[in-house]
Amino acid sequence: MPEPQDQPPEGPPAPDTRAAPTAGEAASSSRAFLEKVAYIGAPGTIALGLLYYFGSTYTEAYYATFGVPAADLQLSVQAYLVRSPRAIFFPLWFLLFCGLAVLLALGWAGRLLARPGREAVRGPVAASLLAAGLFLVLTGFPVFFWEDRLPRLPRGWFREFVPCLAVALGATLAFVAVQLRLSGPGGRDRESRTADRLWLAAGALLLGVLTMSLFFGMARYVAAAGRTEAMHDAAGGYVSSPRVVVYSRVPVTHHAPGIVFDDLGGGQGPYRYQYRGFRVLAKTPARFYLVSYLPKQPERMLVVLPDDATVRIELSP
């Protein structure tokens, strides 16, 4: 019988041939992760910044109507963020619906002009839209800077919002014209590619003009909403503000109507002078801003009291 052959001795395990990730690959993966974080974080940061800006604009306009300096309030960032949705709810939905209508109209016009035999119509339509858009933009821009020098414009909502809406409409029409120009049949030569790049740059500028005009209009609307809300509260007697009873060591001189004064006498302690009928409009670390509860006052009378040992305030809902 043949003898069994000797088996070779087992050697050391084969080394792992998989290469470790290099420094460049690690940096590339880290860069990809940071890009994903930026895609998620950047829109959220912009949204929070806009909410803070509109909330602060609304608050400043509201209290400025009564003569309260917004710097004295020392409100937190969360307080401004909470106030912003009420101010921008209506214009935001209005702009979203307008944007949807513009996109649908752009898609319908592009499909209609892309049909066979409509090549000759595309050019005049795009030129007409571009001319109308640029006319609205150029005529609306002066109102942004010289509206106080144009006395023929009627006061109120027309002077506040029509100029910025006209600029936004003009930028939209011009942008539609650029889209029609770029979506049309073009040549492949060098001059056509250069012209397309210029049209793309013009479209980007028009988007910037549209964004700035909408931002300007939103800021104006928010400020007007703050003033309107202040006038509404004043006409209703400040029912959302808490009622207070003021006890003072010294007589308080004021001209607010409807305030009931009572001298409690020296036997009631140092705070002998009592005033009823006030409501707290605002409270700062150093002051109380009080108003009368009477609605529809001819003048918005504001009484400022120091927050110190000379007065004592009792609050009631």
Side-chain angles (χ1 to χ4, degrees):
M1 294 181 60
E3 296 180 359
Q5 297 180 357
D6 296 336
Q7 299 293 332
E10 296 183 359
D16 190 2
T17 57
R18 291 177 298 179
T22 61
E25 293 176 351
S28 178
S29 61
S30 300
R31 190 181 304 110
F33 175 75
L34 292 177
E35 289 178 354
K36 294 178 181 179
V37 172
Y39 289 149
I40 299 174
T45 303
I46 294 174
L48 287 177
L50 291 176
L51 289 176
Y52 174 79
Y53 174 79
F54 290 133
S56 61
T57 301
Y58 176 85
T59 304
E60 290 179 3
Y62 179 88
Y63 287 106
T65 307
F66 302 105
V68 179
D72 288 353
L73 300 177
Q74 299 183 11
L75 297 177
S76 63
V77 176
Q78 291 81 1
Y80 287 126
L81 293 178
V82 168
R83 293 170 181 265
S84 59
R86 180 173 56 181
I88 67 174
F89 180 82
F90 173 76
L92 186 61
W93 279 103
F94 176 76
L95 293 178
L96 288 176
F97 278 111
C98 290
L100 178 61
V102 169
L103 290 177
L104 293 177
L106 178 59
W108 176 79
R111 182 185 303 177
L112 184 64
L113 295 176
R115 294 178 179 178
R118 299 294 179 90
E119 291 81 5
V121 183
R122 178 186 292 271
V125 170
S128 301
L129 291 176
L130 182 62
L134 293 179
F135 175 77
L136 289 175
V137 171
L138 294 178
T139 54
F141 254 113
V143 184
F144 284 111
F145 305 101
W146 300 296
E147 59 179 345
D148 295 335
R149 303 178 185 178
L150 299 175
R152 294 184 179 181
L153 288 178
R155 294 185 177 275
W157 66 270
F158 188 91
R159 181 180 290 191
E160 289 286 336
F161 305 115
V162 168
C164 56
L165 292 179
V167 173
L169 178 60
T172 303
L173 294 178
F175 181 75
V176 171
V178 171
Q179 291 297 312
L180 291 177
R181 168 63 178 78
L182 293 175
S183 61
R188 296 173 176 265
D189 54 354
R190 183 176 180 180
E191 294 182 358
S192 297
R193 291 194 297 270
T194 303
D196 289 343
R197 286 194 292 268
L198 293 177
W199 281 104
L200 284 173
L205 291 176
L206 289 171
L207 284 178
V209 172
L210 175 62
T211 303
M212 292 304 297
S213 59
L214 292 179
F215 177 80
F216 189 79
M218 284 280 291
R220 286 195 162 195
Y221 177 87
V222 168
R227 293 189 294 267
T228 302
E229 185 70 18
M231 298 299 295
H232 180 268
D233 289 346
Y238 311 95
V239 294
S240 60
S241 301
R243 294 177 295 179
V244 297
V245 179
V246 178
Y247 296 92
S248 177
R249 291 175 178 265
V250 295
V252 177
T253 302
H254 67 88
H255 299 282
I259 304 302
V260 178
F261 168 72
D262 189 10
D263 188 355
L264 302 179
Q268 299 296 325
Y271 299 96
R272 58 180 295 180
Y273 303 105
Q274 182 188 81
Y275 299 86
R276 295 180 178 271
F278 281 117
R279 289 184 180 270
V280 177
L281 178 66
K283 170 67 174 68
T284 68
R287 299 180 184 88
F288 290 97
Y289 292 93
L290 308 179
V291 289
S292 173
Y293 74 99
L294 291 180
K296 299 181 180 179
Q297 301 178 28
E299 295 183 0
R300 295 180 297 276
M301 191 65 62
L302 189 67
V303 178
V304 183
L305 295 180
D307 185 10
D308 54 18
T310 60
V311 296
R312 183 168 60 87
I313 302 293
E314 290 184 356
L315 297 175
S316 61

